[in-house]
Amino acid sequence: MVDRFLFSGLRQDGRRPKELRLIECEMGVEPGADGSAVWHQGNTVVYATVQGPKESTFRSRNQTGRAQISVEFFLAPFSGSDRRVRSRFDRRNKEIAQALQQTLQTAIVGEQFPRSQISININVVQADGGVRSAAMNAATLALVDAGIPMHDFVACCSAGFLQDTAVLDPNSSEEGAAGGGPGGSASPDLPVALFPASGEISLLQLGSQLPCEKLADLMQLASEGCQQIAALMRECVTKHVASRLRSRETVTRTD
Amino acid sequence: MDFLLAALKEGIRVDGRAPTEPRDVSFSFPHERGHAEVKMGNTRVLACISAEILAPYPDRPNEGILSFTTDFSPMASPAFEPGRSSERGIEISRVVERGIRETRAINMESLCILAGEKVWSVRCDLHVLDDGGNLMDCLSLAAMAAFLHFRKPQLSVAGDRLIVYPASLKDPVPLTIHHVPIAVTFGLFTASNLAVLDPTTEEEAHMDGALTVTINSRGVICAIQKAGGAPITQPQILALTGQAAQRAKQLVAILTDALKATGGPAAEGEPEWTHEAGLPSVPAMPAAFASGPPAAHMPALHTRPILAAPAPALSPPAAANPSPSPAAAASPAGAKEAEGRSSPPPTPSPTPSPTGAQKKKRGPPTSLRERAAGQK
């Protein structure tokens, strides 16, 4: 068990407290899907694919005037530090899937596709902390790739505390660090998903102790991280669209 | 539906409450120690705590085990399907569990009896009796009320033996509880830009999102759950957290009063073990811990209290104390046999049963009562 996470102001992986891990993202990685994206954040790698809008699988489930999002979240057995097969009904996975579903549902313009379904599949290939956030970001890019109209991006990032210092985007060893709570409760990890244009928070989850007055700082830090991520997403989308246009241009030229 | 939303735009809730006004909360501790029933308006839930002695998880040898089950029976609401928990059910039970377990509200080290060998496994069974809205708050409150009300028997370790004292010999002791996390839920309505405290089922059906802040009376946030839904700004979240802190303080005060009113004197006295008279007693833990069975065979305490016999003189005569044969309790097979028995044997005798005797030869004499029987 590691008990020190900050060494002269630097974290174990050499980052400063308010620094994100290296993020690389790409859209259109799965030709078979209507939309897809891969999100690398440090050692965390998440693939997301989108199918739809299509007819609802269970027609009775969606007779509303809006498109219904369904999210399946898979954590690969080899994704963690030790191999572990999780059942389809794993409660943690179900909970993450539900949080993603409820957040993305508010982001899409569902009124355009009444009585239809948009399925999102999320595959976590490497889990090294911030899985929830990476999955959310990958899903957003995949939705954009599929051409689903959205009110805004959904950018997600988490923040935590290490030795009384607020840190951005903790990795798995930092997530598992012992906090200062009674009985050695885990250090707080606060994922925040927001709409970058308005800065309004849609998803906020916390599972360990945090004094009331520190919430504001941590939420602010995570929000700043979200804004950085949103900028990266915009850049990724611009690049992707540009390359698509270029490839189309070459096709028309050969014609 | 339109009526509800239109009324909210004017800041009025259909049940006449102000937006930040909670429903009345009442507690009752109906059956025995560790059972708590909480009523919040029309919502009614029952929490039952039970404890048994098990081997710890290998990766946490000196911590007890805490497990939660939440039962959403179709009795409570037509929306619940029997047999499987809905996505909402999973979310609710996860938040309740996270607020208590991850924040270490209950001292897990204090549940350790012998590191790596025996620990207390405390179960919290939550039953939704009636869903009138805001199950999250009601369930977490009921769970904490039940944990606070629960008493576990005292133990002593003497050499290679573990003695579980019945309530008549030594007063059962409460769990070590660090703090009392309380969930406070707000229903969010975008159109009226309102956050209503303690939403009812009607309000839950029409709200655009919900924010649950689990917070203790010291103002330390234990969990936050806002899984999607209507987006809100940071200042709004902070304001709601402040409101939640106040509400949590109120609820802890109500809970403390309720516990004092019903549980105070009984806390020192005997717990009301309702089944004590009719059940077979099990002398003590099996002999050597190392050679003892790793898995559970001690019955759950709330249904089968364990009567120990710390000294032969204290153990009642065999006729008055219908116990399974001591050797039966000393071996795993015997223990299973004892558990399988629904009623005390008609003519209990201290003579070990044949299977028990065979097992007995493998180990040293186990309980004092058995030794006493041998001396006769």
Side-chain angles (χ1 to χ4, degrees):
Chain A
M1 186 75 189
V2 188
D3 53 354
R4 273 181 66 85
F5 287 89
L6 286 170
F7 302 92
S8 56
L10 289 179
R11 290 150 76 174
Q12 278 186 326
D13 51 6
R15 282 186 287 159
R16 275 157 292 177
K18 299 187 177 177
E19 195 176 332
L20 286 170
R21 287 175 287 176
L22 179 68
I23 293 173
E24 283 171 23
C25 48
E26 201 181 330
M27 291 160 71
V29 288
E30 281 279 335
D34 291 329
S36 60
V38 59
W39 186 272
H40 297 253
Q41 187 159 355
N43 287 329
T44 299
V45 180
V46 180
Y47 280 82
T49 58
V50 170
Q51 303 279 0
K54 58 182 184 186
E55 198 176 348
S56 291
T57 328
F58 301 99
R59 203 180 293 181
S60 59
R61 275 213 199 141
N62 188 10
Q63 285 302 320
T64 56
R66 320 184 66 230
Q68 204 68 35
I69 282 190
S70 66
V71 178
E72 293 289 339
F73 181 90
F74 300 101
L75 209 57
F78 49 83
S79 59
S81 52
D82 42 345
R83 186 184 159 83
R84 184 175 169 198
V85 182
R86 286 171 196 270
S87 86
R88 266 184 64 217
F89 306 102
D90 186 84
R91 276 150 47 93
R92 179 171 168 268
N93 287 1
K94 282 250 175 205
E95 194 208 353
I96 293 180
Q98 203 201 359
L100 292 173
Q101 188 264 328
Q102 289 177 1
T103 310
L104 295 167
Q105 187 77 58
T106 49
I108 62 161
V109 186
E111 293 82 0
Q112 294 206 358
F113 313 103
R115 293 184 298 282
S116 54
Q117 183 189 349
I118 298 166
S119 337
I120 303 175
N121 271 282
I122 289 165
N123 265 291
V124 179
V125 182
Q126 290 182 44
D128 183 33
V131 165
R132 207 172 297 228
S133 325
M136 184 80 78
N137 298 331
T140 305
L141 285 184
L143 281 170
V144 172
D145 188 38
I148 312 281
M150 294 170 79
H151 296 291
D152 198 354
F153 286 100
V154 182
C156 189
C157 184
S158 65
F161 261 106
L162 285 177
Q163 293 169 10
D164 240 17
T165 312
V167 294
L168 192 61
D169 187 19
N171 62 23
S172 61
S173 72
E174 291 170 334
E175 270 180 1
S185 75
S187 68
D189 173 42
L190 184 87
V192 167
L194 52 70
F195 298 126
S198 64
E200 287 185 326
I201 291 170
S202 182
L203 175 132
L204 181 70
Q205 287 178 316
L206 176 75
S208 47
Q209 291 195 38
L210 179 70
C212 225
E213 61 275 9
K214 285 184 175 168
L215 176 67
D217 295 345
L218 212 54
M219 207 158 53
Q220 180 60 35
L221 179 62
S223 303
E224 281 163 15
C226 290
Q227 294 291 0
Q228 288 181 39
I229 282 175
L232 286 165
M233 284 168 135
R234 270 193 211 98
E235 197 183 307
C236 175
V237 171
T238 321
K239 251 190 211 162
H240 180 69
V241 172
S243 75
R244 276 286 166 96
L245 284 176
R246 245 180 278 127
S247 68
R248 199 169 283 183
E249 220 169 41
T250 48
V251 171
T252 44
R253 265 182 208 163
T254 47
D255 282 347
Chain B
M1 164 184 178
D2 291 339
F3 173 70
L4 188 143
L5 294 177
L8 270 177
K9 271 185 192 160
E10 293 166 33
I12 304 164
R13 295 166 78 172
V14 281
D15 55 2
R17 281 186 287 160
T20 54
E21 192 181 334
R23 293 173 293 179
D24 282 340
V25 177
S26 64
F27 295 89
S28 58
F29 301 94
H31 308 299
E32 51 187 277
R33 277 277 156 201
H35 284 207
E37 191 181 313
V38 177
K39 248 186 109 176
M40 251 182 185
N42 287 333
T43 305
R44 210 155 52 89
V45 304
L46 176 68
C48 308
I49 311 291
S50 52
E52 55 186 325
I53 297 172
L54 292 182
Y57 291 124
D59 56 333
R60 300 189 165 196
N62 46 12
E63 283 185 21
I65 300 168
L66 188 63
S67 51
F68 288 82
T69 54
T70 316
D71 169 46
F72 298 89
S73 83
M75 178 184 86
S77 158
F80 298 147
E81 286 175 45
R84 52 178 223 159
S85 53
S86 60
E87 287 187 344
R88 181 164 158 260
I90 291 175
E91 185 189 0
I92 291 174
S93 46
R94 283 271 303 172
V95 171
V96 170
E97 199 178 318
R98 203 188 309 159
I100 296 172
R101 186 208 297 277
E102 310 284 312
T103 60
R104 299 266 168 166
I106 290 156
N107 186 328
M108 302 299 283
E109 283 83 5
S110 73
L111 296 177
C112 176
I113 300 163
L114 204 70
E117 303 281 352
K118 296 283 167 216
V119 295
W120 280 110
S121 161
V122 179
R123 284 181 68 88
C124 174
D125 294 300
L126 296 161
H127 299 267
V128 179
L129 303 176
D130 213 343
D131 178 14
N134 201 4
L135 279 177
M136 211 149 352
D137 294 13
C138 206
L139 284 170
S140 81
L141 196 57
M144 281 321 295
F147 277 124
L148 287 164
H149 194 249
F150 180 69
R151 300 286 182 273
K152 64 177 175 16
Q154 286 200 41
L155 302 171
S156 70
V157 179
D160 59 348
R161 291 183 52 226
L162 176 66
I163 298 161
V164 182
Y165 292 100
S168 51
L169 283 181
K170 282 197 177 181
D171 292 336
V173 288
L175 300 173
T176 313
I177 294 176
H178 288 303
H179 62 110
V180 184
I182 302 280
V184 181
T185 298
F186 299 91
L188 306 174
F189 291 88
T190 321
S192 47
N193 197 20
L194 267 183
V196 301
L197 182 64
D198 191 12
T200 60
T201 13
E202 291 80 21
E203 285 165 337
E204 277 181 349
H206 301 115
M207 66 193 182
D208 302 300
L211 171 73
T212 301
V213 182
T214 308
I215 196 164
N216 64 23
S217 53
R218 278 176 254 153
V220 177
I221 302 169
C222 301
I224 296 178
Q225 175 78 353
K226 184 188 179 322
I232 50 174
T233 59
Q234 283 189 44
Q236 276 173 319
I237 291 174
L238 293 175
L240 291 177
T241 310
Q243 274 186 38
Q246 281 181 3
R247 178 65 187 148
K249 246 179 215 164
Q250 286 173 6
L251 282 172
V252 170
I254 298 172
L255 173 58
T256 314
D257 287 349
L259 281 168
K260 257 185 210 154
T262 60
E268 277 80 52
E270 281 186 25
E272 298 112 22
W273 298 115
T274 48
H275 312 293
E276 193 171 35
L279 278 160
S281 64
V282 180
M285 280 303 294
F289 292 114
S291 63
H297 65 273
M298 290 286 274
L301 283 172
H302 75 296
T303 53
R304 289 160 195 249
I306 297 153
L307 288 184
L314 281 174
S315 73
N321 180 22
S323 72
S325 59
S331 69
K336 261 176 212 154
E337 181 191 285
E339 272 179 52
R341 217 170 274 166
S342 56
S343 62
T347 50
S349 79
T351 321
S353 65
T355 50
Q358 279 165 14
K359 295 267 170 174
K360 196 191 82 180
K361 280 174 191 160
R362 289 181 197 164
T366 50
S367 75
L368 285 170
R369 193 187 302 167
E370 193 185 322
R371 282 179 207 157
Q375 280 162 14
K376 278 179 202 167

